[in-house]
């Protein structure tokens, strides 16, 4: 009745409204898919025990003739977004038994629409990572090839969508954590404009970069979910006022390609597919031009100073006193040390230490201060480029999904996964990854992502061009 | 770039217990990461020194309580590892 690996929100909406099936039947189909597949994939950290009750409530609203885009639609939520009364752990031992005391603003919005929450998805601990191997509760596997990573940090959300265990999911993106797993799992992921979606109730990682966004099977579904969660929020003073003008869709776009940035490090067949994507855009009547943006390649170094700095400040709140894990030490100060030492995993500790280092008085000027200068330069350069083009295109990653364990002892190699994605976070602009083609590794066809970036509040551009690319491959 | 002793010192400042036998690996990893990110020094050699200036605007709202007194007290205290009535308990400070 319902093919959960193919269904889309729009199609399911019509069928729910036409009473072809009920929200309860729909939810059951997804619960069955989870039951069948998740023991191998491990996309979920928890499947809620009241899914059918939530769906029943949606059915009651549908029976009354009510409809909203997401009424009765099953969704999976990344484990760093708060839902009142439910466990939320950021895939960390630190919060293993923590229960959220309030709803994140995005959750309030989804509840108003009547969405059905299936469960919380696995991730890299506190969203730090690019493979979901940093979860304190074991890695998630890529549904396309279970010997490979699904990407990260929103790897559980991406794997759940790809394998038909949810219709769509929420993730968070600080440097590529929605787009990179979307690319490696062959689905759509969008990082919205910074501040277009409220961060209230999202566990903070890099507060000047974090944003919540959708992962979905197709561009239209991502747009439906994005429209549902965005908006100004009194609880997050960094949200963009609703009165600010959004870029509107237009017929013909000019897409810029930062050639100099693609010269090194991209695998040959990945680059080939990317060229095919550009060709598809041309064929659809859009202009594709080369642009020179040398500062883009500096984004990654800049990012990996800013992020650990913000991490070290944000994660100072975990003191073993107010909430979360507590490990007893020999005195009060040692309580903090032992709690944090035991509660945080390797990558989190590494970033706290690097952040503390780059913010320390002796090194602040050489690192943090320079990174803030670089951030200003990158922002200026990219703003200059957007005077010539409507969007900037790159591959989402340099290669398809890598093997589980392959890079686990090389933190820097894992950081390099973010090379194409971090710049959009550094400047706060929106970016999308859409599936485009595959690359064959060890006899398996692995998905590739095509990334498009747009100026602030230019999500419409990304949805329009994203649709061009995905419809050209169908 | 960074020595084992410095890592130890930083860990103390960050209130993070680090295992002695983990220190060597950690020092090596941090060293390679710091070497990579120090690339920002080259990038900014042409900078005019201007900093990231966030597009700041004043965000105002009425100074009103958003919840009833005590509405969340029980829930929040329920998450604390150790409490005494409505207080959090910690080891002796002085």
């Amino acid at each position: 009745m319902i093919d959960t690996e193919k269904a889309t929100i729009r199609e399911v909406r019509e069928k729910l409204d036409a009473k072809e099936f009920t929200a309860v039947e729909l939810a059951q189909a997804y619960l069955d898919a989870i039951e069948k597949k998740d023991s191998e994939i491990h996309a979920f950290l928890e499947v809620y025990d009241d899914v059918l009750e939530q769906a029943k409530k949606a059915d009651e609203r549908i029976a009354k003739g009510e409809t909203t885009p997401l009424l009765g639609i099953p969704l999976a939520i990344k484990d760093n977004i708060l839902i009142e009364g439910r466990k939320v752990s950021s895939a960390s031992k630190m919060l293993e038994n923590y229960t959220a005391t309030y709803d994140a603003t995005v959750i309030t919005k989804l509840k108003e629409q009547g969405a059905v929450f299936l469960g919380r998805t696995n991730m890299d601990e506190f969203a730090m990572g690019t493979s979901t191997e940093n979860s304190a509760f074991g890695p998630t596997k890529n549904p396309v090839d279970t010997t490979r990573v699904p990407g990260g940090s929103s790897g559980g959300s991406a794997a759940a969508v790809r394998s038909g265990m949810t219709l769509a999911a929420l993730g968070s993106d600080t440097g590529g954590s929605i787009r990179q797993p979307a690319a490696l799992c062959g689905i759509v992921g969008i990082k919205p404009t910074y501040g277009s979606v409220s961060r209230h109730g999202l566990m903070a990682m890099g507060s000047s970069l974090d944003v919540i966004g959708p992962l979905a099977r197709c561009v239209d579904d991502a747009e439906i979910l994005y429209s549902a969660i965005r908006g100004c929020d009194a609880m997050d003073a960094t949200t963009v006022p609703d009165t600010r003008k959004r870029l509107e869709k237009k017929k013909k776009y000019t897409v810029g390609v930062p050639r100099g940035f693609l010269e090194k490090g991209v695998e040959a067949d990945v680059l080939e597919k990317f060229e095919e994507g550009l060709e598809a855009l041309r064929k659809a009547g859009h202009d594709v031009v080369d642009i020179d943006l040398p500062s883009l390649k500096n984004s990654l170094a800049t990012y990996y100073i800013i992020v650990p700095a913000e991490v070290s400040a944000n994660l100072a709140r975990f003191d073993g006193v107010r909430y979360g894990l507590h490990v007893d030490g020999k005195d009060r100060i040692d309580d903090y040390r032992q709690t944090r030492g035991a509660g945080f995993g390797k990558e989190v500790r590494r970033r706290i230490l690097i952040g503390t280092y780059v913010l320390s008085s002796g090194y602040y000027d050489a690192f943090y201060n320079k990174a803030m200068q670089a951030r200003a330069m990158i922002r200026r350069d990219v703003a200059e480029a957007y005077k010539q083009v409507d969007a900037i295109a790159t591959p989402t990653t340099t290669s398809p999904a890598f093997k589980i364990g392959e890079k686990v002892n090389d933190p820097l190699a894992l950081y390099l996964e973010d090379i194409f994605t971090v710049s959009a976070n550094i400047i706060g602009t929106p970016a999308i990854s859409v599936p485009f083609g595959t690359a064959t590794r060890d006899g398996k066809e692995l998905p590739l992502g095509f990334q498009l970036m747009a100026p602030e509040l230019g999500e419409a551009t990304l949805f329009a061009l994203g649709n061009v690319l995905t419809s050209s491959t169908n | 770039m960074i020595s084992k002793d410095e890592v130890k010192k930083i860990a103390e400042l960050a209130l993070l217990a680090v295992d002695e036998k983990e220190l060597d690996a950690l020092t090596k990893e941090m060293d390679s990461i710091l070497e990579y990110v120090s690339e920002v020094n080259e990038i900014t050699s042409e900078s005019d020194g201007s900093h990231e200036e966030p597009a700041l605007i004043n965000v105002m709202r009425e100074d009103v309580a958003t919840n009833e007194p005590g509405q969340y007290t029980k829930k929040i205290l329920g998450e604390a590892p150790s409490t005494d009535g409505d207080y959090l308990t910690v080891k002796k400070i002085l």
Side-chain angles (χ1 to χ4, degrees), chain A residues 70-132:
Chain A
L70 297 173
L71 183 56
I73 298 294
L75 298 174
I77 306 295
K78 188 175 181 178
D79 191 33
N80 59 352
I81 299 171
L82 275 57
I83 308 180
E84 188 179 349
R86 297 189 195 271
K87 278 191 176 182
V88 58
S89 76
S90 256
S92 178
K93 289 262 182 254
M94 189 62 100
L95 292 172
E96 191 169 2
N97 297 307
Y98 181 74
T99 302
T101 53
Y102 63 96
D103 278 333
T105 298
V106 292
I107 295 299
T108 305
K109 285 173 182 281
L110 294 176
K111 279 184 175 175
E112 279 164 10
Q113 287 222 6
V116 173
F117 304 121
L118 292 168
R120 54 191 174 102
T121 54
N122 201 10
M123 54 187 279
D124 287 297
E125 185 180 2
F126 285 106
M128 297 174 208
T130 51
S131 67
T132 315

Side-chain angles (χ1 to χ4, degrees), chain A residues 84 328 335 350 369 379, chain B residues 6 29 51-52 75 91:
Chain A
E84 188 179 349
D328 241 9
D335 276 7
R350 204 148 43 214
N369 212 6
R379 190 191 290 278
Chain B
E6 276 179 300
E29 288 160 1
H51 285 216
E52 169 75 2
K75 275 186 197 166
K91 289 205 173 81

Side-chain angles (χ1 to χ4, degrees), chain B residues 15-46:
Chain B
L15 296 174
L16 203 59
V18 176
D19 223 24
E20 191 64 34
K21 54 181 189 286
E22 201 191 329
L23 267 178
D24 284 319
L26 200 53
T27 306
K28 220 177 112 207
E29 288 160 1
M30 282 182 64
D31 197 63
S32 72
I33 294 165
L34 287 170
E35 193 188 308
Y36 175 72
V37 299
S38 62
E39 183 186 304
V40 289
N41 284 296
E42 292 163 41
I43 306 166
T44 50
S45 62
E46 286 170 31

Side-chain angles (χ1 to χ4, degrees), chain A residues 148-323:
Chain A
R148 292 176 188 271
V149 302
S153 66
S154 313
S157 287
V161 172
R162 171 68 203 220
S163 54
M165 294 193 283
T166 184
L167 204 38
L170 286 187
S172 64
D173 192 314
T174 305
S177 279
I178 288 174
R179 290 160 287 158
Q180 185 255 9
L184 301 195
C185 289
I187 61 163
V188 176
I190 178 162
K191 168 218 144 4
T193 302
Y194 178 77
S196 65
V197 180
S198 170
R199 290 182 291 117
H200 179 62
L202 167 71
M203 289 191 200
M205 201 254 270
S207 301
S208 75
L209 309 135
D210 295 340
V211 61
I212 296 173
L215 294 102
R217 192 155 294 111
C218 64
V219 174
D220 288 346
D221 283 3
E223 185 168 5
I224 291 168
L225 196 45
Y226 171 62
S227 306
I229 59 173
R230 73 179 164 86
C232 189
D233 180 15
M235 299 303 277
D236 175 1
T238 63
T239 46
V240 178
D242 291 332
T243 46
R244 282 268 292 283
K245 203 171 166 289
R246 312 185 67 84
L247 298 181
E248 280 168 25
K249 277 186 191 175
K250 52 185 202 177
K251 284 225 166 67
K252 185 176 172 166
Y253 289 102
T254 304
V255 179
V257 183
R259 287 283 166 199
F261 192 30
L262 309 175
E263 276 163 7
K264 271 196 303 199
V266 188
E267 291 178 5
D269 49 355
V270 175
L271 207 52
E272 221 169 275
K273 276 290 156 195
F274 174 67
E275 293 295 342
E276 281 178 31
L278 295 175
E279 191 51 39
L281 292 173
R282 272 190 216 101
K283 268 193 190 146
H286 303 290
D287 285 333
V288 177
V289 297
D290 289 354
I291 53 170
D292 192 27
L293 251 180
S295 65
L296 272 192
K297 68 172 186 302
N298 305 327
S299 298
L300 196 69
T302 307
Y303 176 83
Y304 275 106
I305 291 172
I306 295 171
V307 162
E310 295 190 16
V311 161
S312 74
N314 269 328
L315 271 63
R317 74 189 70 195
F318 295 101
D319 55 8
V321 173
R322 292 166 297 165
Y323 42 78

Side-chain angles (χ1 to χ4, degrees), chain A residues 381-394:
Chain A
D381 281 7
V382 178
E384 200 56 41
Y386 281 132
K387 287 180 185 165
Q388 329 285 322
V389 298
D390 300 302
I392 296 172
T394 69

Side-chain angles (χ1 to χ4, degrees), chain A residues 454-467:
Chain A
E456 208 173 41
L457 298 175
E459 281 82 359
T461 304
L462 303 179
F463 294 130
L465 291 173
N467 260 324

Side-chain angles (χ1 to χ4, degrees), chain A residues 84 97-99 101 234 237 298 300-302 304-305 320-324 326 328-329 331-333 335-338 340-341 344 349-350 352-354 356-357 363 366-367 369-370 372-377 379-380 411-412 415, chain B residues 1-2 6-7 10-19 22 26 29-30 32-34 36-41 43-44 46-53 57 59 61 66 72 75-76 79-82 88-93:
Chain A
E84 188 179 349
N97 297 307
Y98 181 74
T99 302
T101 53
N298 305 327
L300 196 69
T302 307
Y304 275 106
I305 291 172
V321 173
R322 292 166 297 165
Y323 42 78
H326 175 91
D328 241 9
D331 53 27
R332 184 180 56 94
I333 296 290
D335 276 7
Y336 299 151
R337 284 206 189 96
Q338 299 306 327
R340 294 162 59 77
F344 292 135
R349 279 182 287 158
R350 204 148 43 214
I352 290 174
L353 292 174
I354 289 174
T356 308
Y357 183 82
Y363 297 98
F367 288 97
N369 212 6
K370 292 282 181 200
M372 293 311 268
Q373 283 178 23
R375 191 174 189 177
M377 289 174 78
R379 190 191 290 278
R380 268 203 306 271
L412 194 55
Y415 289 3
Chain B
M1 195 148 218
I2 190 167
E6 276 179 300
V7 175
I10 290 289
E12 262 171 48
L13 291 173
L15 296 174
L16 203 59
V18 176
D19 223 24
E22 201 191 329
L26 200 53
E29 288 160 1
M30 282 182 64
S32 72
I33 294 165
L34 287 170
Y36 175 72
V37 299
S38 62
E39 183 186 304
V40 289
N41 284 296
I43 306 166
T44 50
E46 286 170 31
S47 163
D48 56 11
S50 65
H51 285 216
E52 169 75 2
E53 294 284 351
I57 45 164
V59 178
R61 63 177 158 103
T66 55
Y72 292 104
K75 275 186 197 166
I76 290 171
E79 293 303 322
S82 171
L88 302 172
T89 51
V90 294
K91 289 205 173 81
K92 200 169 73 179
I93 291 172

